[in-house]
Amino acid sequence: MGRMEKRKGAAGEREAAREISRVFNVEARRGVQFAGGPDSPDVVADLPGVHFEVKRTERLSLWAAVDQAVGDAGEKTPVVLHRPNRRPWIAIVRLDDLPELAKRIEGVRGA
């Protein structure tokens, strides 16, 4: 990955964190800023049990992104956030994971 792609990825992670904060009314930040390692999640949010994989790219390899999110999520619910240029962010969740994601979001809203 080149320097420009890393900068775009980091900027995308910061942007996604701001959007997660706005949409869910929780604290969110770029994971590598605080955890420091390359294995850090893209975004750390006060949504317990949710793992965000951020893809800020024009061409998304959907299943590669989902597989990466699932592989990195462990016991958490994997969510891929994607945004190409001049388009809004979208969230990609496996249908079978949707009920668990809804419970986790509701748990934060109910708190």
Side-chain angles (χ1 to χ4, degrees):
M1 178 182 291
R3 185 175 278 170
M4 188 166 165
E5 287 129 346
K6 283 188 179 192
R7 276 199 318 264
K8 185 175 181 180
E13 290 166 2
R14 286 189 293 273
E15 182 184 341
R18 286 190 302 272
E19 288 298 298
I20 290 166
S21 292
R22 180 185 67 79
V23 169
F24 296 108
N25 196 31
V26 298
E27 291 291 319
R29 64 192 177 279
R30 185 169 173 244
V32 76
Q33 288 177 320
F34 293 88
D39 294 333
S40 302
D42 291 345
V43 172
V44 176
D46 289 340
L47 284 169
V50 179
H51 173 82
F52 292 102
E53 181 66 38
V54 177
K55 299 296 183 186
R56 179 67 174 84
T57 181
E58 289 304 301
R59 297 183 189 273
L60 179 68
S61 295
L62 177 64
W63 287 107
V66 170
D67 290 344
Q68 182 181 358
V70 169
D72 292 349
E75 295 297 313
K76 295 181 177 183
T77 302
V79 178
V80 176
L81 298 177
H82 172 247
R83 186 174 92 76
N85 293 334
R86 298 175 297 280
R87 295 286 194 156
W89 283 98
I90 61 170
I92 301 159
V93 180
R94 296 180 303 181
L95 188 59
D96 285 346
D97 291 335
L98 200 52
E100 186 62 31
L101 179 61
K103 283 184 211 169
R104 293 178 193 270
I105 293 168
E106 190 59 35
V108 171
R109 289 189 175 181

